[in-house]
Amino acid sequence: MKVEKYRVPSKGKISLKDFDPNETALFDGSKKDGVEALVEINADIEKLQEQLYAEGKHKLLVVLQATDTGGKDGTIRAVFEHVNPQGVKVASFKVPSSVELAHDYLWRIHQQVPAKGEIVIFNRSHYEDVLAVRVHGLAPEKVWSKRYEHIKDFERMLTDEGTTILKFFLHIDENEQAERLLARVEDRTKQWKFSPGDLEERKLWKEYQAAFEDMVNKTSMDWAPWYVVPSNKKWYRNLVIAQIVRDTLKGFEMTYPTPVENLEQYRTLLKGMIASE
Ligand code: AMP
Ligand code: MG
């Protein structure tokens, strides 16, 4: 799959209208084939994450942003299904607490970034401070408009210090959102996710799309790229993201750490400790 197609270039501007949320163009096969392909990619991710943890050298930060029902939770479940919870964390950013609001907006974010050997997935992120904050006017424009530059500098610092950053905007359309909200109302196992507030947010669809478009255009950098992932079809969304995560981990060219010297000596020693029948 030529996933570069979905990568927002660091120079120039994209228009979200040119990205079809329904497309499955890079995968040549049915949904069933796609689900099977994901199983294989997930097996790779499982092995690579084990190595990442063992090697304790690289840090991977995966940022997920989307409208309500965009599929952030589902992506985390599907793409990171088999990883070892010891080395992987999910950080979800909700409406900031009073303590968080008393600090600068990156304060709560910085505390959650990955340490060596870790993968951290941001379910929402510092980008809410140029999304929800902008759309709801929670801060004046002269405040939020400066944040794109802060965020670029912050992410630059993280990458200079050894963090690899991947950012995914899960792109769905308004009709798909209505269907997913309806499913939340109708399905007993999804009702807990339904909030009437989501319908209020939906009224701001256009404002949010404009904010998403500015976000990806202003902050997609070579060192921390945004991908606009067609996400109406969940299986395709999972496949695209899993592939990018797998290829990124592969690119680390990891090895298991060098063992202690004279392993042979310990082998003999341990064999002698095992009772023979
Ligand atoms: P959910 O992810 O559905 O639990 O909702 C979390 C809510 O928190 C969303 O409505 C976000 O827009 C909101 N939120 C997250 N971060 C911020 C922020 N920095 N400022 C304002 N609202 C935020
Ligand atoms: Mg919600």
Side-chain angles (χ1 to χ4, degrees), residues 7-8 155 165-168 219-227:
R7 190 179 163 131
V8 179
E155 293 182 356
I165 305 177
L166 296 172
K167 302 182 292 197
F168 299 105
T219 64
S220 192
M221 296 295 125
D222 292 335
W223 64 82
W226 273 108
Y227 292 86

CSV table of all heavy atoms in Angstrom, one decimal, residues 7-8 155 165-168 219-227:
chain,number,residue,atom,x,y,z
A,7,ARG,N,-0.4,11.1,3.3
A,7,ARG,CA,0.4,11.9,4.2
A,7,ARG,C,0.3,13.4,3.7
A,7,ARG,O,0.4,13.7,2.6
A,7,ARG,CB,1.9,11.4,3.9
A,7,ARG,CG,2.9,12.0,4.9
A,7,ARG,CD,4.2,11.4,4.5
A,7,ARG,NE,5.3,12.2,5.1
A,7,ARG,CZ,6.3,11.7,5.8
A,7,ARG,NH1,6.4,10.4,6.0
A,7,ARG,NH2,7.2,12.5,6.3
A,8,VAL,N,0.1,14.3,4.7
A,8,VAL,CA,0.0,15.7,4.4
A,8,VAL,C,1.4,16.3,4.2
A,8,VAL,O,2.2,16.1,5.2
A,8,VAL,CB,-0.8,16.4,5.5
A,8,VAL,CG1,-0.9,17.9,5.2
A,8,VAL,CG2,-2.2,15.8,5.7
A,155,GLU,N,7.0,19.4,19.3
A,155,GLU,CA,7.2,18.1,18.7
A,155,GLU,C,8.6,18.0,18.1
A,155,GLU,O,9.2,16.9,18.1
A,155,GLU,CB,6.1,17.9,17.6
A,155,GLU,CG,4.7,17.8,18.2
A,155,GLU,CD,3.6,17.5,17.1
A,155,GLU,OE1,3.9,17.5,15.9
A,155,GLU,OE2,2.4,17.3,17.6
A,165,ILE,N,7.2,10.4,16.0
A,165,ILE,CA,5.8,10.9,16.1
A,165,ILE,C,5.0,10.6,14.8
A,165,ILE,O,5.4,10.9,13.7
A,165,ILE,CB,5.7,12.4,16.4
A,165,ILE,CG1,6.5,12.7,17.7
A,165,ILE,CG2,4.2,12.8,16.6
A,165,ILE,CD1,6.6,14.2,18.0
A,166,LEU,N,3.8,9.9,15.0
A,166,LEU,CA,2.9,9.7,13.9
A,166,LEU,C,1.6,10.3,14.3
A,166,LEU,O,1.1,10.1,15.4
A,166,LEU,CB,2.7,8.2,13.7
A,166,LEU,CG,3.9,7.4,13.2
A,166,LEU,CD1,3.6,5.9,13.3
A,166,LEU,CD2,4.3,7.8,11.8
A,167,LYS,N,0.9,11.0,13.4
A,167,LYS,CA,-0.3,11.7,13.7
A,167,LYS,C,-1.4,11.3,12.7
A,167,LYS,O,-1.2,11.4,11.4
A,167,LYS,CB,-0.1,13.2,13.7
A,167,LYS,CG,1.0,13.6,14.7
A,167,LYS,CD,1.2,15.1,14.8
A,167,LYS,CE,1.8,15.7,13.6
A,167,LYS,NZ,2.4,17.1,13.8
A,168,PHE,N,-2.5,10.8,13.2
A,168,PHE,CA,-3.6,10.3,12.3
A,168,PHE,C,-4.9,11.1,12.5
A,168,PHE,O,-5.4,11.2,13.6
A,168,PHE,CB,-3.9,8.8,12.5
A,168,PHE,CG,-2.7,7.9,12.3
A,168,PHE,CD1,-2.0,7.4,13.3
A,168,PHE,CD2,-2.3,7.7,11.0
A,168,PHE,CE1,-0.8,6.6,13.1
A,168,PHE,CE2,-1.2,6.9,10.7
A,168,PHE,CZ,-0.4,6.3,11.8
A,219,THR,N,0.7,21.9,10.8
A,219,THR,CA,1.5,21.2,11.7
A,219,THR,C,2.0,19.8,11.1
A,219,THR,O,2.5,19.0,11.9
A,219,THR,CB,0.9,20.9,13.1
A,219,THR,OG1,-0.3,20.1,12.9
A,219,THR,CG2,0.5,22.2,13.7
A,220,SER,N,1.8,19.6,9.8
A,220,SER,CA,2.4,18.3,9.3
A,220,SER,C,3.8,18.6,8.9
A,220,SER,O,4.1,19.4,8.0
A,220,SER,CB,1.6,17.8,8.1
A,220,SER,OG,2.0,16.5,7.7
A,221,MET,N,4.7,18.0,9.6
A,221,MET,CA,6.2,18.3,9.4
A,221,MET,C,6.8,17.0,9.0
A,221,MET,O,6.3,15.9,9.3
A,221,MET,CB,6.8,18.8,10.7
A,221,MET,CG,6.2,20.1,11.2
A,221,MET,SD,6.7,21.4,10.0
A,221,MET,CE,5.1,22.1,9.6
A,222,ASP,N,8.0,17.1,8.4
A,222,ASP,CA,8.7,15.8,8.0
A,222,ASP,C,9.0,15.0,9.2
A,222,ASP,O,8.9,13.8,9.2
A,222,ASP,CB,10.0,16.2,7.3
A,222,ASP,CG,9.7,16.8,5.9
A,222,ASP,OD1,8.6,16.5,5.4
A,222,ASP,OD2,10.6,17.6,5.4
A,223,TRP,N,9.2,15.7,10.3
A,223,TRP,CA,9.6,14.9,11.6
A,223,TRP,C,8.3,14.5,12.3
A,223,TRP,O,8.4,13.7,13.3
A,223,TRP,CB,10.5,15.8,12.4
A,223,TRP,CG,9.9,17.0,13.0
A,223,TRP,CD1,9.1,17.2,14.1
A,223,TRP,CD2,10.0,18.4,12.4
A,223,TRP,NE1,8.7,18.5,14.2
A,223,TRP,CE2,9.3,19.2,13.2
A,223,TRP,CE3,10.7,18.9,11.3
A,223,TRP,CZ2,9.2,20.6,13.0
A,223,TRP,CZ3,10.6,20.3,11.1
A,223,TRP,CH2,9.9,21.1,11.9
A,224,ALA,N,7.2,15.0,12.0
A,224,ALA,CA,5.9,14.6,12.7
A,224,ALA,C,4.8,14.8,11.8
A,224,ALA,O,4.0,15.7,11.9
A,224,ALA,CB,5.8,15.4,14.0
A,225,PRO,N,4.6,13.8,10.8
A,225,PRO,CA,3.6,14.0,9.7
A,225,PRO,C,2.2,13.7,10.2
A,225,PRO,O,2.0,12.9,11.1
A,225,PRO,CB,4.1,13.0,8.7
A,225,PRO,CG,4.8,11.9,9.4
A,225,PRO,CD,5.4,12.6,10.6
A,226,TRP,N,1.3,14.4,9.5
A,226,TRP,CA,-0.2,14.0,9.7
A,226,TRP,C,-0.5,13.1,8.5
A,226,TRP,O,-0.1,13.3,7.4
A,226,TRP,CB,-1.0,15.2,9.6
A,226,TRP,CG,-1.3,15.9,10.9
A,226,TRP,CD1,-0.7,17.1,11.3
A,226,TRP,CD2,-2.1,15.5,12.0
A,226,TRP,NE1,-1.2,17.4,12.5
A,226,TRP,CE2,-2.0,16.4,13.0
A,226,TRP,CE3,-2.9,14.3,12.2
A,226,TRP,CZ2,-2.7,16.3,14.2
A,226,TRP,CZ3,-3.5,14.2,13.4
A,226,TRP,CH2,-3.4,15.2,14.4
A,227,TYR,N,-1.4,12.1,8.8
A,227,TYR,CA,-2.0,11.3,7.7
A,227,TYR,C,-3.5,11.5,7.8
A,227,TYR,O,-4.1,11.4,8.9
A,227,TYR,CB,-1.7,9.8,7.9
A,227,TYR,CG,-0.3,9.4,7.7
A,227,TYR,CD1,0.7,9.5,8.7
A,227,TYR,CD2,0.2,9.0,6.5
A,227,TYR,CE1,2.0,9.2,8.5
A,227,TYR,CE2,1.5,8.7,6.3
A,227,TYR,CZ,2.4,8.8,7.3
A,227,TYR,OH,3.7,8.5,7.1
